[in-house]
Amino acid sequence: MATFILLHNELDNDIRECLSEAKNEISNGNPPDWDWSCATTKGIQVGDKIFIQRAGKPGGYFAYGVAVAADEEYQLRLTDEKYRDFSEAYLTESYRNGFVILVEIHSVVDYEYPLEKKKLKALPEFTNVFLDFRRSGCQLKPDVAEALFGEWEKHLRTFR
């Protein structure tokens, strides 16, 4: 499975309440599904790993999940022949002329305390790795994705 980075711009909406609700739902064994923009990225598949990154300061990752299939009535691939090759994760809605996918959220941290990019850049496995994405839907190389997931797991332990 591939790993993608989706962005959150604080100006778009205040995610803090959603994060609080997500923590409760996850702890109760009911991970929430979030619809999220992936800009113009077309290749996200059901099961791909998703990290959501705060675009503002402090810049870093505050949520992790996987792309999941939407109910058939909301699947973009079933609305028009030109989308038939899209995965079941793509929704019929759009955001700023971009695509939207459905993400099942597995873990979150406080928005004010993300896994910061500057911390990652100080680690040897992230030397010369580009983490300053300007749009949603960027795919990570497998070795970078594995290292990011490892650091995410460490970061989560500080908030449990």
Side-chain angles (χ1 to χ4, degrees):
M1 296 294 153
T3 301
F4 292 86
I5 304 300
L6 305 183
L7 298 182
H8 177 262
N9 180 338
E10 194 168 356
L11 300 176
D12 290 340
N13 63 18
D14 190 352
I15 192 75
R16 289 166 186 86
E17 187 174 320
C18 291
L19 287 170
S20 178
E21 291 172 7
K23 283 180 190 178
N24 290 333
E25 291 176 53
I26 293 166
S27 68
N28 290 329
N30 299 312
D33 291 341
W34 290 354
D35 52 333
W36 212 272
S37 171
C38 60
T40 57
T41 301
K42 300 174 183 175
I44 298 173
Q45 300 298 313
V46 169
D48 283 347
K49 297 176 181 178
I50 306 293
F51 281 95
I52 303 179
Q53 177 186 316
R54 180 178 178 171
K57 294 192 189 272
Y61 305 94
F62 64 88
Y64 165 78
V66 296
V68 294
D71 290 337
E72 282 193 6
E73 65 187 287
Y74 300 111
Q75 289 179 15
L76 182 63
R77 68 188 192 94
L78 300 175
T79 64
D80 191 308
E81 184 68 22
K82 68 183 176 183
Y83 300 121
R84 74 175 174 171
D85 292 332
F86 281 54
S87 82
E88 298 88 350
Y90 285 83
L91 298 169
T92 54
E93 65 184 89
S94 65
Y95 177 76
R96 293 187 179 173
N97 297 320
F99 300 113
V100 174
I101 63 166
L102 193 62
V103 181
E104 181 181 85
I105 302 299
H106 291 183
S107 53
V108 298
V109 296
D110 291 339
Y111 194 70
E112 299 305 324
Y113 301 101
L115 172 56
E116 292 188 48
K117 293 184 300 180
K118 69 180 181 182
K119 176 185 175 191
L120 294 172
K121 289 178 183 180
L123 300 172
E125 55 267 49
F126 291 95
T127 302
N128 300 321
V129 172
F130 183 80
L131 295 174
D132 296 315
F133 304 106
R134 299 289 179 232
R135 68 172 188 86
S136 267
C138 293
Q139 185 174 355
L140 294 178
K141 293 180 180 177
D143 59 328
V144 174
E146 186 177 330
L148 177 59
F149 187 77
E151 291 303 314
W152 175 253
E153 287 291 308
K154 291 177 194 174
H155 189 69
L156 281 176
R157 286 193 288 272
T158 64
F159 289 96
R160 288 186 177 153

